[in-house]
Amino acid sequence: MVQSETKTVDERVALRRREILHAASTLFRRRGLQRTGMRDIARALGVAVGQLYYYFENKEALLAYCQEVCLERLLTESAMIRREKAPASVRLSRLIEAHLRCLNEEIPGSLAHLEVESLNEPTKQRILRLRKKYEEALIGLLKEGQADGTLVASDPVLTVRLLLGALNWSVKWFNRDGSTTLDSLVQTAQAYLVPLTPRPPARRVTTSESSS
C-alpha cells in the first residue's frame, strides 16, 4: 500500500515537472534561455515562485533535468532500436525519428538540450558522459551499416557529429504550431540525413539484347 502511494506521489511530481518544462519551453523560445528566470516561469504557470523550488532548486537544475531526461530517453530508444533485426539504414531512420520526436514533442523545454555550458562543472560532466554514450551508440550503428552495406560513412565519428548537430538544432527553429508538421520534419530528415550506400545505376538493355 505504501509502495503504491509512493509511486502515485512520484507520478504526480513527474507530471508537475513536465508542466513546468512545458511553460519554460514556451518562454525559452520567446525570450531566450538567458533572459528567462524562475519568476517568469512561475508567472506563466500562475503560481508563486516558491512552488517551483519544490520541484527544481533553481533554473540550472531545471536545465539539467531536461537534458538528463532527454538523453536517458534517447539512450533507451537507441538500445532498443539497435537490437532490432533490420538493416542498419532502417534502424538509423527510426533513431532519427525518435530523436526528433523526443526533442520537439515528448520532452518539453528541450531547447535546454543545447545549453550544456550553462551547467555547473559536476553536472556538465555528467551530461557530457551521457552525450558521449549516445554518440558512441550512433557511431556503432553507422559501423554496422558499413558492415551490412546499407550505409556509407568514410568517417563515422564526423558523420555522427554532423548528424547530431542537424537534429539538435531543430529545437531552435522548429515550431509545432507552424506550417511544417513534425511528421514532415521527420520524413525530410530521414531522406537527407541517412547516408545510404548509393545504388548501382540500372543496367541499360542494348538493342541486340532486347531483340533476342
Side-chain angles (χ1 to χ4, degrees):
M1 182 68 177
V2 174
Q3 195 173 27
S4 176
E5 289 176 357
T6 301
K7 183 179 179 181
T8 302
V9 170
D10 289 344
E11 288 175 346
R12 286 203 301 267
V13 169
L15 178 61
R16 188 53 173 163
R17 281 182 166 179
R18 187 176 178 85
E19 291 171 351
I20 293 169
L21 288 179
H22 184 76
S25 176
T26 301
L27 291 173
F28 289 162
R29 288 178 180 275
R30 186 186 307 156
R31 298 167 55 93
L33 278 163
Q34 302 304 323
R35 295 181 58 202
T36 301
M38 295 292 274
R39 290 186 182 279
D40 300 313
I41 298 169
R43 192 177 302 114
L45 287 165
V47 300
V49 68
Q51 292 186 34
L52 296 191
Y53 292 116
Y54 174 80
Y55 300 96
F56 297 106
E57 183 181 357
N58 48 40
K59 190 173 79 170
E60 182 179 304
L62 187 153
L63 296 178
Y65 175 82
C66 178
Q67 293 191 50
E68 284 180 312
V69 169
C70 190
L71 284 164
E72 287 168 0
R73 176 63 180 271
L74 290 174
L75 283 167
T76 299
E77 288 286 342
S78 65
M80 291 172 56
I81 289 171
R82 288 192 67 187
R83 287 195 297 267
E84 293 178 359
K85 302 298 183 184
S89 58
V90 173
R91 288 180 285 146
L92 180 57
S93 290
R94 284 182 36 73
L95 192 49
I96 285 174
E97 177 174 9
H99 192 113
L100 288 172
R101 290 194 184 281
C102 180
L103 263 64
N104 293 289
E105 181 179 61
E106 296 168 5
I107 309 296
S110 57
L111 187 61
H113 193 64
L114 301 177
E115 294 297 319
V116 69
E117 297 302 328
S118 300
L119 306 175
N120 63 45
E121 194 59 27
T123 303
K124 176 182 173 180
Q125 291 306 316
R126 187 169 71 249
I127 295 298
L128 289 176
R129 284 194 294 271
L130 290 173
R131 288 189 174 197
K132 183 173 178 58
K133 189 174 179 180
Y134 181 58
E135 184 178 295
E136 288 171 348
L138 279 169
I139 292 169
L141 185 52
L142 256 68
K143 290 180 177 178
E144 290 171 23
Q146 288 178 316
D148 70 15
T150 61
L151 296 173
V152 56
S154 58
D155 186 336
V157 174
L158 180 59
T159 302
V160 163
R161 288 176 179 171
L162 288 169
L163 173 63
L164 288 175
L167 296 177
N168 290 338
W169 200 252
S170 67
V171 300
K172 278 283 192 178
W173 58 265
F174 178 70
N175 179 6
R176 290 186 63 194
D177 298 322
S179 58
T180 301
T181 65
L182 183 55
D183 286 343
S184 177
L185 173 62
V186 167
Q187 291 164 10
T188 302
Q190 289 170 328
Y192 285 95
L193 298 179
V194 177
L196 294 171
T197 300
R199 294 181 178 179
R203 180 171 172 271
R204 290 186 177 182
V205 178
T206 65
T207 303
S208 59
E209 287 177 320
S210 62
S211 60
S212 60

